[in-house]
Each structure stands twice: as C-alpha cells, then as structure tokens.
Amino acid sequence: MRVTMTVNDEEVSGEIESRLLLVHFLRDHLSLTGTHWGCDTSNCGACTVWMDDEPVKSCTVLAAMADGRKVRTVEGLAKGEELDPVQQGFMECHGLQCGFCTPGMMMTSRALLDRNPDPSEQEIREAISGQICRCTGYATIVRSVRWAAEHEANGCPAHGSTQEEVR
Amino acid sequence: MTAVNDHETVDKKPLGHGRMLRKEDPRFVRGRGRYVDDVQLRGMLHLAILRSPVAHARIVSVDTSAAEAHPKVKAVVTGEALAEKGLAWMPTLSNDVQAVLATDKVRFQGQEVAFVVAEDHYSARDALELIDVEYDLLDPVVNARSALAEGSPVIRDDLEGKADNHVFDWETGDEAATEAVFAKADVVVTEDIVYPRVHPSPMETCGAVADYDSVEGRLTLWSTTQAPHAHRTLYAMVAGLPEHKIRVISPDIGGGFGNKVPIYPGYVCAIVASLVVGKPVKWMEDRSENLISTGFARDYIMRGEIAATHDGRILGIRTNVLADHGAFNAQAAPTKYPAGFFGVFTGSYDIEAAHAKMTAVYTNKAPGGVAYACSFRITEAVYLVERLVDCLAYELEADPAELRSQNLIQPDQFPYTTKTGWVYDSGDYEPTLREAMRIAGYDELRAEQAEKRARGELMGIGLSFFTEAVGAGPRKNMDILGLGMADGCELRVHPTGKAVVRLSVQSQGQGHETTFAQIVAEEIGIPPDDIDVVHGDTDNTPFGLGTYGSRSTPVSGAAAAMVARKVRDKARIIASGMLEASVTDLEWTKGSFAVKGDPERSVTIQEIALRAHGAGDLPDGIEGGLEAQVCYNPENLTYPHGAYICVVDIDPGTAQVKVRRFIAVDDCGTRINPMIIEGQVHGGLTDGVGMALMEMISFDEDGNCLGGSFMDYLLPTALEVPGWETGYTVTPSPHHPIGAKGVGESATVGSPPAVVNAVVDALKPFGVRHADMPLTPSRVWDAMNGRAKPSF
C-alpha cells in the first residue's frame, strides 16, 4: 500500500507492506536513523516521535496509521542550525551518555515543555516515565529539561557551540 | 530540584582535566550517531535466528524446505550445515566451547538452532516460522543446587568423557588459618546470600553487519563489541580468515555494560552468511533474544561466614560459593581467574584470615556470568562482605557505620596485601566514610528513624563501604585467550598542531572521545577540541583488549598519558634546536617550552609541530614528524573505593520499598572530568536500585525463562530512583602515570548492598537479618511475615 505523510515538515510517501511499523518506515525507508528501537514490548520509549504533536512510541504505530498525519523526529527538532533548548540542555547538563535513549527522551521533553513551560522535578520524571535510560540514572536528564525550561525565553546560542558560552 | 553536592570546577573548556562538555553530544542530540543498525550497505540482506523453545532436548530433525521455498529467502542454514564446514562450535572467552548453531541437542531455551537470510528483516522473521524442528525432550537442570546430584542429566555430553555438570573448582586464601581464627572468635555469623541472575540489558541490543569481499578475501564486520581487537583475533581462529583480512568496526554503541564483551553465535552466523551468499548481511537481535540468550550476570549462591570479637573486631571471613554458569562456560574473565576477581571478598577491612571455595556448574540456561559492571565478579564479592558486616552488626547490636570504621584498613597500611593476595594500591578510607555520613546527616537520620520506629513506620538506613579492583591487568598474570591485557595508544600531531589519538579501548557511552582528549591535552597542551579520538576500528587503532572491568582509564588512560609524554620529549628536543638552547635548559609550561630564566624565548607545541613537519634542520638524530606509540602494561590494578548510604521508606501495608535518598562518595584518585564521573556514578546507582529491588532473570522448573522481556524484566524508570547525592575524596593511585583509578563500575558494585542493608535495617522490628534480592513487595512482605525466604 502507499502512504503519504509529513515528516519534519516535508511530505514523504512510500510503498509499504501494511504491517510495517512506523519506526521501521522512518529508519529503513526514510533513513531517519535517529529514532531507535530498544525493545519489543513497547516499554523502552527509544522510538518516541510525535504524531500530530503528540509523543507516540513509533514501534507501536503502523506506518499506515500515520498516513496523512504529521510526524516529527529528532532530526526535525532543531530549527536549521539552531538547536532546540532541549538539545542544548542535554549537552549542558550531561543528560546523555551512549545517546541511544536520547532522541526519544528529547522528543518527550519538548512536548512536555510545550504544554508545561515550568515543570517541577516530579512532573518531568512522570513525563519521561515511559522511557528507559540505562546510562544516566535520570537525574541529569531532569536537570537538562529544567535547563531548557529556564533558557527558553532567552533562546539558545546558534550551532550548539556550548563550549564557548560561559568562559 | 535535587540538591547536588558539587564542589566541581565549572570550566567549560579546560586545557586538560576538569569539567568539560562532551565532544560526542552534538551528533547524538541531532540523531546523527551511527549505531550498527543504522548501517545500510548496497545489496544488504537480513538474518534472523531460529531459537529453541525448550531448555533441554535432543534434535531429531530440522526441516527447512518450506523456509527455503519462501520467495524472499536467500539461504537457510542449520547446525548440521555448519558442522560440515567445521563451524558449528566456537571457542568461548573461558576456553570452553559453545554451539554456534545446535547440532546434537539444545541446552537452553533461546539457544540458536538455525538461521535464515532474506531480502528484508520482516521476511526473514516470517521464514523462521516455516522451519520445522522435531525435539525429543530431556529433563532440564534448572536449580544449580541439584546440578551435581547423582542421576542429574548431563548437559555437556558433547565434551569427551564428561559424565557430570561440573565446570571447575576454585579456592583462595588459607583454609587452616581461617579455621583457627573462627575457632577463637567470640561471635560467628553465618548467612546464605544469593546474588540472583540479572541481565545488563543495554538499550541497544547486540547486532552486526558482516560484509565479505570474495575478490579481496576481506571481511569487514560492524558489530556491537566492547573489545574489537580481541573479537578480530577470535574470528580469525574460528573462520580461518587471516587477521589482516579482517576489519572489525565497533561504531557508536548504545550501551554495553559487559553485555557486548562475549562473542555471540549471531555474530558468527552473520559472518558465515556473508561468506555463503557473497553479500553484506545484517543481524540485529530483538529485546527478548537479548534477554534470554546473551550474557547474563551474577548467579552466585553464597554461604558466607564472618568471625569477630565481642567488641566488633572482625577476625576472618570465609565463604562457599556455588556458581551457575549456564550451559556453556562463556564468561569473559582473565584466563587464570575462573572466578574473576572474587578474591577481593575481604573488602575494605583489615582482617586476620580469609578463605573462599567455589564450585561452578552447568545448568540448562544461557551462558554468561561476568557482565553488568561487575569488574570480574567484584559485585558479588562486595555484596557478600557488605551484607556479612551488616549481619554482624545485627548480632552485636552495633552501629553499622561504626563497626565498619573500626575495621577499615588504615592509610599507612597501603600498599596493603589482603589475606587472599591482592595488593591494594592506595586508600584513605575513613575520610570517605565520614564525608558520606556528613552529606547524609547520619546522626539526624538515625534520630529520625528512632522516632519513626516508635510510631510503627518503616525507615531504613543502609551503608556500603567498598574497595574495587579495576584495570586488568599486568600481562604477567592476566590474559584473555592468551592475549595479554595491555593497551596500545598512538598519538599523531599534525603540522598545524592539531592531533589525533588512537585507542584500543571502545567507549559505549563513557565519554572516551572527550576524556582521552583531556588526558592528552593535560600532558601536551593542545586544547581538547583540537584532538580527535579514534577508537573501535581494528584497521586504524593499535591492538588492545577493549573496554570492560573499568579498565579504560587505568590501562588505556595510562597509555594515553605516556604516549603524550613521549611526544613531548621529542618536542623538547625539537624546541631546543629552535631556541638554540640545551634540552636541560628548557622549561615546560602547559603548551610551550621556554628557556629557563628567559621566558620570552619560548615556542608553543603548535610551532614545534610545524617545525617537525616543515623545512629547516632538526637536531641530530631526530626524524621528521611528531608522533609516537606505546603499549602500556600496568604494574598493578587500581583500587578505587567508596562510601554509600541509602535511605528507604517501606509502606507497611504493601511492603513497597521507596528509595528516598542515596548518597555516594567515590574516590577514584585523580579526576579527569568530574561531570562524566558523576554521570557514571548516577547510572551505576540506578543499576544498584534495579538489582536490589526489581530485576531478576528467573526460570520455571521446565527451564522456561521468566524474565525474557521488559514486561517482566523490570528496569528502573525516572520514578523509581531518587535524585542522587554525590561527593568525592581524592587518593591517587601511586603507580598510575596521572594517579587516576577506574570508576565506571564502582556504583554498580557498591550500591546493591547499601539498598539491601537499608531494607533489612527497616525490617529490624520484624527480626529480619537477611532477605534476598530482588526485594520486590512480595519478598519484603514474606520477610515481614517470617516466611521462608525464596530459594532462588
């Protein structure tokens, strides 16, 4: 069957089997490999993307279900060269190590901040509780999201050149 | 926000050691990492593995005809087909053999039986269901305690003359001396302590892309390996390809945690498949396959005994261990250490005698044992001693902090040789313990606990004081499959003063691309941003044994410092020519040489680099270029230590344990990047809470794995762990070039006993002295109600 959807503001279409999972459509058909596949029971959230601005686990959505919908992945998080404050926050606060859960974590964090620009620690923890990270122990992810919340108004330095910022 | 005990520098870009943001992050936050499953090659096919549904059975027949008829299937390979090529079995890292694909029989549920190569991943999976295998069921051996019983089914009848399930016996320490101190002791406490089977579960599972070029006879293998050079050597041994025609590339790895040290049948299958079909072949396992078939961790059944005087002086420790190794002995450990470094079970205490005895057995379970940040079985050793000390405190009605303090090895005793022969390099334990107690507000916590206890509330405070042993290791006694555990490092400074450093170790998130640039920057004064770190490509990096056992900083970090010093020595000679001064008249300040007493006459390392590559004469005997290589053979391990305190609250109605606070004070000597150390500690503490409260790979009596997915194998989310509180002390390693010790596994080693000690402490009103992990609500409930603890 043929599906057409908007991925990161670009219209894409593909000839697919009806059983194809969205995560595989994004990774294998569109080569958007930032979205990862970490489990087979919908627990880990490494595949989290947005469908119509809502975070979904793309391993639990058929590509066919995304037909005509708007999908956003980690590759569409930055505005051109300008990083999203969430991306910046993860770098500033060491919110990632191996980087495998990071794309999904950031998509959820961005969606949280869009709804709740000043979340408490508990609200952040609840928001990311559908996602597993094996490296960070979560505390620095919480700090990263707070960093983003606190820096939204001021904007972020371009190109993610964090190293120069606070010398 | 969580209060953070942060005494760190806040430099964004140090010229050497200090907090520095990671060079890895810009690609990862953009989704531009490159992990194995991201690799796409022209014409690439996909491999899927058929696994045994049963734990123990003879294979009567395998019918692949329907799978072969599938229009998208290119090949179906069985164990028998591999046997014809002599590839059905492979050596393990413990000098046992493991079936690549089962031939005679299957020995654990999830074992590899056949594989399919197809045009796409989905079709390969479809074809698995078309393979018809007839099994003749055999009784499985599930409980290790019965593995050596008379009449127990023999799992490894493939091994010539094997008539039982015995793997090895091992012992350490002095049995007679230990018996003597136990005989004179006022108090002896005995406890049966199980460290259950758990699984490292990296977020990225294991996988590989094999690409065999039949014209050049050359194999390129992208794979999830923590030890690319060791894997290359083993593939050369298995597949018969020469080593210089094998290139192993370990790209970005989505976490390893020891899971990606062993060689798995899937890797070998992918190689065979590419050889057979002449095209690149990708194998990527799913989560269930990862949990049921790849390297598990722990599974030690320990009887521990501790002897002491009435006033709390610990005299001796002894233990008898039954080790469950699964169906094949594939644990990754140095050859002469079948029980890993379990010998450090005497912990941080100055005692008179110790003895350990161990028997390892085969069972019908997946192979493994050494994984999940265990530092070669030190998780088990530390858990044993730290639980025993708490059991002793319980019997003596002593404060567990003071009991520990009373028995700690003193700073003037280092280097300290333990009663089992380990030479601890350095330590100043008491200040570390006091720092943890200070951050925790230990006395106030005890007062709060007393008040709560009076009201019937369940609050527990648990301590753990541990000494790690990391950085394997001196090549005179440490090797894996005969390969000495030294590590190479190459440093090349380009004409414009930028540099590339090539490592033999392999990061899986530990930040090596950042910290190794910092190590070199500290020694040679080139900014870390001007130093690229290359790792994980056997064609382009020096030989070495990879990253596990927290060995990167102790071994490869030492190599990086030494190679930088070697380059600096050459730079000094070139500088002497440039400044027309003798080398002894030159003074090094980070980044430049100046003439002593005349600081105006100086040259920077960048100017020296240009001179080294440029026109003009160099001092006599000096070749052009500015580069060097070393192979670092450590003289000893490094022995970091730490003091951890956990505070739990238990709901008396549901027996649910809530970790309220966790304080971790680590001492890993010189700290290269405090931000990265803190992250390593946080991750390890989460492992500890997971293992202590949630995680277990268990089996039913038929040998069915009951923890085979994230539905049942529970990992902590952000809601199960507290905001961590960390601190540090600094006791450098005297034998390490920059005084740095390893640290990555410390928190995983040190935290489970702190959590369990806290839970048991909370349950003191119920007369509970010990309860086995994982302390799920049902187990805590059982302990509160005095029921027999579960057997395993």
Side-chain angles (χ1 to χ4, degrees):
Chain A
M1 63 180 290
R2 189 153 195 89
V3 289
T4 302
M5 64 187 86
T6 306
V7 178
N8 301 332
D9 303 322
E10 210 175 298
E11 189 174 287
V12 297
S13 60
E15 196 60 42
I16 60 162
E17 285 186 66
S18 56
R19 62 173 171 168
L20 185 74
L21 298 174
L22 179 58
V23 63
H24 293 134
F25 181 69
L26 295 170
R27 289 181 50 82
D28 300 341
H29 291 241
L30 305 182
S31 293
L32 293 171
T33 54
T35 301
H36 297 140
W37 188 50
C39 76
D40 45 18
T41 47
S42 200
N43 296 84
C44 84
C47 62
T48 303
V49 300
W50 296 354
M51 196 156 72
D52 292 345
D53 301 328
E54 277 297 319
V56 295
K57 292 178 176 176
S58 64
C59 76
T60 312
V61 174
L62 293 169
M65 292 159 68
D67 188 44
R69 313 284 285 271
K70 208 171 70 183
V71 171
R72 186 167 297 277
T73 70
V74 63
E75 290 89 347
L77 200 48
K79 290 183 186 66
E81 289 295 299
E82 189 188 338
L83 289 182
D84 187 279
V86 165
Q87 292 172 303
Q88 195 74 39
F90 271 69
M91 297 203 294
E92 294 286 342
C93 301
H94 191 33
L96 67 151
Q97 293 180 29
C98 79
F100 202 79
C101 77
T102 311
M105 285 286 184
M106 293 191 308
M107 294 310 288
T108 299
S109 303
R110 178 72 267 157
L112 168 70
L113 292 176
D114 286 349
R115 281 195 300 270
N116 177 359
D118 187 24
S120 67
E121 168 168 353
Q122 187 61 22
E123 285 168 334
I124 296 168
R125 286 180 180 271
E126 277 169 20
I128 61 170
S129 66
Q131 286 164 279
I132 295 170
C133 169
R134 298 292 288 141
C135 297
T136 66
Y138 305 104
T140 55
I141 294 180
V142 174
R143 282 184 217 163
S144 303
V145 179
R146 280 302 313 168
W147 189 98
E150 284 154 22
H151 288 76
E152 298 277 48
N154 311 329
C156 278
H159 308 289
S161 53
T162 64
Q163 314 269 341
E164 307 300 330
E165 196 199 3
V166 195
R167 287 214 68 195
Chain B
M1 289 300 292
T2 313
V4 180
N5 176 44
D6 192 359
H7 319 283
E8 314 291 7
T9 65
V10 290
D11 292 345
K12 286 272 170 170
K13 192 158 87 177
L15 191 59
H17 306 164
R19 184 184 202 269
M20 175 182 146
L21 299 191
R22 296 203 326 161
K23 290 155 67 88
E24 293 91 336
D25 290 356
R27 68 176 185 273
F28 290 148
V29 300
R30 289 170 170 85
R32 297 270 292 273
R34 198 176 195 224
Y35 303 87
V36 169
D37 197 24
D38 302 344
V39 174
Q40 294 282 1
L41 302 177
R42 199 180 304 239
M44 187 175 78
L45 301 171
H46 295 260
L47 184 149
I49 292 175
L50 182 72
R51 295 177 181 278
S52 171
V54 295
H56 201 193
R58 217 155 274 296
I59 295 176
V60 179
S61 63
V62 184
D63 180 356
T64 59
S65 53
E68 278 161 18
H70 187 291
K72 291 189 172 177
V73 166
K74 302 292 178 189
V76 183
V77 174
T78 63
E80 285 305 327
L82 282 189
E84 284 165 22
K85 299 178 195 295
L87 292 172
W89 294 81
M90 63 180 189
T92 69
L93 297 179
S94 284
N95 289 305
D96 191 358
V97 291
Q98 174 174 358
V100 176
L101 293 178
T103 49
D104 51 341
K105 63 179 193 176
V106 290
R107 293 174 171 85
F108 67 92
Q109 187 188 50
Q111 189 182 338
E112 299 79 0
V113 173
F115 71 77
V116 168
V117 181
E119 285 173 23
D120 63 78
H121 176 68
Y122 283 53
S123 301
R125 294 270 163 161
D126 287 344
L128 293 183
E129 304 200 355
L130 302 174
I131 300 173
D132 190 15
V133 185
E134 190 185 337
Y135 295 102
D136 180 11
L137 293 185
L138 300 167
D139 286 338
V141 180
V142 183
N143 188 338
R145 292 180 180 84
S146 63
L148 297 178
E150 192 131 345
S152 186
V154 178
I155 299 167
R156 295 301 301 281
D157 49 354
D158 59 295
L159 297 173
E160 208 178 313
K162 192 81 186 153
D164 61 24
N165 295 314
H166 178 262
V167 187
F168 64 80
D169 289 316
W170 171 85
E171 77 177 285
T172 187
D174 187 329
E175 187 169 19
T178 308
E179 213 157 281
V181 304
F182 270 78
K184 73 173 185 190
D186 299 327
V187 187
V188 171
V189 180
T190 304
E191 194 61 70
D192 286 331
I193 294 171
V194 176
Y195 209 138
R197 179 176 283 232
V198 290
H199 194 281
S201 297
M203 287 306 299
E204 178 205 36
T205 58
C206 300
V209 177
D211 184 13
Y212 182 68
D213 178 336
S214 60
V215 176
E216 299 203 353
R218 194 173 164 77
L219 170 72
T220 305
L221 184 79
W222 286 262
S223 76
T224 50
T225 172
Q226 298 176 220
H229 290 276
H231 278 208
R232 182 186 60 183
T233 303
L234 197 124
Y235 295 134
M237 290 154 77
V238 177
L241 292 167
E243 224 166 345
H244 66 298
K245 296 283 192 187
I246 303 176
R247 178 183 185 188
V248 175
I249 299 173
S250 187
D252 289 327
I253 301 292
F257 312 107
N259 189 231
K260 294 167 180 171
V261 178
I263 311 259
Y264 294 121
Y267 301 144
V268 177
C269 291
I271 294 170
V272 170
S274 186
L275 285 163
V276 169
V277 299
K279 288 192 170 167
V281 175
K282 179 186 280 184
W283 166 66
M284 203 73 217
E285 70 188 3
D286 64 28
R287 175 58 53 191
S288 304
E289 295 179 284
N290 178 256
L291 281 166
I292 64 174
S293 73
T294 66
F296 74 92
R298 322 292 188 257
D299 220 344
Y300 267 22
I301 299 166
M302 305 180 276
R303 167 155 294 185
E305 293 180 276
I306 186 165
T309 61
H310 281 309
D311 56 2
R313 167 107 191 97
I314 301 172
L315 301 173
I317 297 174
R318 65 184 174 198
T319 183
N320 210 319
V321 182
L322 179 63
D324 185 339
H325 280 235
F328 306 101
N329 185 23
Q331 76 166 350
T335 307
K336 291 172 190 155
Y337 297 81
F341 302 164
F342 184 77
V344 299
F345 70 93
T346 58
S348 313
Y349 310 107
D350 182 24
I351 62 174
E352 292 179 13
H355 182 244
K357 247 183 168 158
M358 181 181 295
T359 298
V361 295
Y362 290 119
T363 58
N364 287 113
K365 302 176 190 170
V370 166
Y372 208 171
C374 75
S375 308
F376 302 118
R377 301 290 190 182
I378 296 178
T379 31
E380 291 89 326
V382 165
Y383 184 64
L384 177 75
V385 61
E386 288 305 294
R387 275 271 61 235
L388 284 177
V389 170
D390 258 41
C391 291
L392 179 63
Y394 180 98
E395 291 303 314
L396 296 172
E397 296 180 8
D399 179 272
E402 293 313 315
L403 182 62
R404 283 178 171 82
S405 170
Q406 190 184 342
N407 288 283
L408 290 175
I409 300 164
Q410 296 301 304
D412 59 3
Q413 291 178 282
F414 291 93
Y416 176 87
T417 305
T418 71
K419 291 294 181 283
T420 49
W422 295 79
V423 183
Y424 293 180
D425 58 347
S426 65
D428 190 356
Y429 291 168
E430 187 73 24
T432 312
L433 178 61
R434 295 296 155 192
E435 176 66 357
M437 293 169 74
R438 183 192 68 76
I439 298 170
Y442 187 74
D443 294 340
E444 292 80 15
L445 282 173
R446 285 289 176 203
E448 180 193 347
Q449 182 185 39
E451 283 171 29
K452 286 195 164 154
R453 239 173 223 173
R455 288 200 297 271
E457 292 176 40
L458 303 180
M459 168 185 167
I461 304 159
L463 282 92
S464 161
F465 195 102
F466 63 90
T467 299
E468 260 267 46
V470 297
R475 57 188 297 165
K476 66 175 185 289
N477 53 8
M478 289 185 191
D479 70 274
I480 286 185
L481 286 180
L483 304 170
M485 300 187 79
D487 273 279
C489 191
E490 292 175 11
L491 174 62
R492 196 177 295 174
V493 183
H494 299 317
T496 58
K498 316 293 182 192
V500 58
V501 57
R502 299 172 194 277
L503 313 177
S504 59
V505 291
Q506 169 59 30
S507 183
Q508 316 117 47
Q510 300 94 327
H512 293 7
E513 289 171 39
T514 304
T515 54
F516 277 77
Q518 291 185 266
I519 292 171
V520 172
E522 175 81 18
E523 300 299 327
I524 206 164
I526 294 172
D529 278 352
D530 288 348
I531 302 170
D532 255 11
V533 175
V534 175
H535 57 82
D537 177 345
T538 56
D539 268 9
N540 290 308
T541 55
F543 185 86
L545 278 226
T547 295
Y548 43 84
S550 300
R551 63 188 299 281
S552 290
T553 295
V555 192
S556 193
M562 296 306 278
V563 79
R565 288 174 192 178
K566 207 166 165 181
V567 169
R568 195 174 71 198
D569 288 344
K570 181 175 178 182
R572 178 189 288 270
I573 298 170
I574 297 170
S576 76
M578 295 168 76
L579 295 167
E580 294 176 346
S582 86
V583 288
T584 51
D585 281 343
L586 296 185
E587 204 166 34
W588 169 256
T589 48
K590 208 183 278 182
S592 61
F593 283 105
V595 178
K596 279 179 195 162
D598 187 4
E600 295 298 300
R601 285 171 64 203
S602 72
V603 285
T604 64
I605 187 73
Q606 288 83 2
E607 290 165 338
I608 298 168
L610 191 56
R611 177 67 164 227
H613 292 89
D617 286 339
L618 292 173
D620 285 348
I622 294 295
E623 292 175 355
L626 192 56
E627 59 196 58
Q629 66 175 56
V630 300
C631 182
Y632 187 81
N633 176 30
E635 67 172 72
N636 189 6
L637 306 179
T638 66
Y639 295 79
H641 67 273
Y644 290 178
I645 299 176
C646 178
V647 183
V648 301
D649 296 304
I650 301 177
D651 183 324
T654 64
Q656 172 92 33
V657 177
K658 170 90 183 160
V659 178
R660 190 207 312 169
R661 290 180 66 196
F662 201 111
I663 296 91
V665 177
D666 278 278
D667 187 328
C668 58
T670 303
R671 293 152 64 79
I672 297 159
N673 186 327
M675 177 190 85
I676 286 187
I677 294 171
E678 187 197 33
Q680 292 287 292
V681 171
H682 286 186
L685 298 177
T686 308
D687 294 346
V689 168
M691 283 183 274
L693 302 182
M694 303 164 72
E695 300 174 28
M696 180 158 75
I697 299 284
S698 59
F699 296 83
D700 69 13
E701 58 189 20
D702 294 326
N704 293 306
C705 179
L706 302 181
S709 83
F710 281 170
M711 301 299 281
D712 300 301
Y713 192 76
L714 303 179
L715 295 166
T717 73
L719 293 176
E720 278 82 41
V721 294
W724 312 106
E725 301 166 70
T726 58
Y728 68 99
T729 54
V730 177
T731 314
S733 172
H735 65 79
H736 189 277
I738 59 173
K741 304 182 182 185
V743 69
E745 296 168 318
S746 285
T748 310
V749 164
S751 58
V755 181
V756 173
N757 288 346
V759 172
V760 172
D761 184 51
L763 299 179
K764 208 170 190 178
F766 298 90
V768 176
R769 195 177 73 183
H770 176 72
D772 280 324
M773 299 187 281
L775 293 167
T776 57
S778 72
R779 284 194 173 190
V780 173
W781 184 260
D782 282 350
M784 286 163 66
N785 288 283
R787 292 181 197 142
K789 64 178 191 247
S791 60
F792 72 107

